[in-house]
Amino acid sequence: MERLAEAVRENRFTPTMLSREGKSVDFTYCSITQYGAETVQTTFPTFSALLDAFYTERDRQEAAQRRGRELTRTVTSAHDRVVRKLGMLEKEYAASQDRDTLRLYGDLITANLYRMERGAARLTAQNYYDENGAELDIPLDPLLTPQQNAAKYYKRYTKAKTAEKHLREQIDKAIGERDYLESVQGEIALAQTEAEFAELRRELQETGYIRRSGKEKKGREKPIAPREFRSSSGLRILVGRSNVQNDALTRKADKRDLWLHTQKIHGSHVILCTEEGAYDDESLHEAALLAAYYSQAQGGSNVPVDYTSVKYVKKPAGARPGMVVYETYRTLYVTPDEETIRRLDRKNK
């Protein structure tokens, strides 16, 4: 306290800005050490320079948050639409699975034409396909002849049979779109800077979810670099910031490098850069921690993370950004923690 009082009397101050995880959180007139290594201190020659820098950075953070909210609304709206569409498709598909009953009705009507009269609303007939010979009540259209009723059921059967293949294709496409949008939601949740949100916006423009304005030119913006870390033994670990970047990371990586991703959980692609295929267990574990941390399982425990050589990771033709398949792999179970992530980040600086 005496030293502090003396500094005040002598007008000795150190304009200092405090930042945490790349965000400015506070400013002060002297060095602050109580927060530990996770808080970075940046000094300025004057208080005017400090305040300019602090509020400029604060404005950038608020702009980034606005971008994040806009992207979240866009993706959530698209996700809700595809989920509703998927529900309707699955309902139609379930109805098409009952088509054999339509054919049976047509067969039984045809077999009982001799005893049917025009204008009947129902036919009760023995089901000769049933081993017990149970009777069935078949609804009829009174305005149609018996032959026309049979033809109507056969037509509905054929239509349902044709629709099944089309519906299955549409359902698979909708599931792929839903999974892609959920992966983008995860990336938006992990994004922090304006550059990251801009990267995600470009991805959504390229995939058609956001319309590009007339002032924007395709390919004009310079893409940002992936997140980069160093393992305890010094191996580079790269983490994608978007699905487009995930594709680029995997495509450009050495085929002997390791590729990691949370199992059946949306998250970033992670590349452990090996030394001609060689790596140590600790580096592998740390890469798995990063894969779990930069995923929707960030706050979980015993998160399953698959890993394999890059050469085994394939991208299906026509697949959405970030969507890949792999069959040869192993799985690690890890619990991510922020302290380890910060330590790996500091080793890269």
Side-chain angles (χ1 to χ4, degrees), residues 190 239 260-263 265-268 270 285-306 332-337 341:
L190 293 170
V239 181
L260 300 93
H261 195 282
T262 44
Q263 186 182 91
I265 301 171
H266 296 300
S268 298
V270 175
H285 179 77
E286 290 167 344
L289 286 175
L290 287 164
Y293 184 80
Y294 288 101
S295 78
Q296 291 184 338
Q298 185 178 99
S301 59
N302 290 323
V303 179
V305 176
D306 294 339
L332 287 175
Y333 292 85
V334 297
T335 300
D337 66 279
I341 304 304

Side-chain angles (χ1 to χ4, degrees), residues 182-322:
E182 288 177 355
S183 72
V184 176
Q185 287 176 322
E187 296 292 352
I188 293 173
L190 293 170
Q192 295 181 338
T193 66
E194 193 168 359
E196 289 175 323
F197 289 120
E199 179 87 358
L200 289 166
R201 180 179 174 82
R202 285 193 292 272
E203 177 181 327
L204 291 170
Q205 288 174 333
E206 292 173 7
T207 50
Y209 291 100
I210 294 179
R211 183 177 300 176
R212 195 184 299 272
S213 67
K215 296 180 180 179
E216 295 177 290
K217 294 183 179 180
K218 187 176 181 181
R220 182 178 179 181
E221 307 91 344
K222 183 179 179 181
I224 60 175
R227 300 180 182 96
E228 184 169 340
F229 301 84
R230 290 280 175 176
S231 72
S232 297
S233 61
L235 296 182
R236 292 174 70 217
I237 306 174
L238 304 176
V239 181
R241 297 177 188 266
S242 68
N243 284 301
V244 170
Q245 196 174 85
N246 287 335
D247 280 349
L249 273 180
T250 304
R251 184 175 63 252
K252 296 176 181 178
D254 190 296
K255 299 302 180 183
R256 295 167 295 184
D257 290 344
L258 288 186
W259 179 91
L260 300 93
H261 195 282
T262 44
Q263 186 182 91
K264 298 180 180 179
I265 301 171
H266 296 300
S268 298
H269 293 202
V270 175
I271 300 295
L272 173 59
C273 301
T274 64
E275 296 177 344
E276 298 183 347
Y279 60 91
D280 58 281
D281 289 342
E282 188 172 9
S283 292
L284 173 61
H285 179 77
E286 290 167 344
L289 286 175
L290 287 164
Y293 184 80
Y294 288 101
S295 78
Q296 291 184 338
Q298 185 178 99
S301 59
N302 290 323
V303 179
V305 176
D306 294 339
Y307 69 95
T308 186
S309 293
V310 170
K311 64 181 179 181
Y312 294 123
V313 182
K314 309 297 181 185
K315 185 172 184 64
R320 288 286 190 181

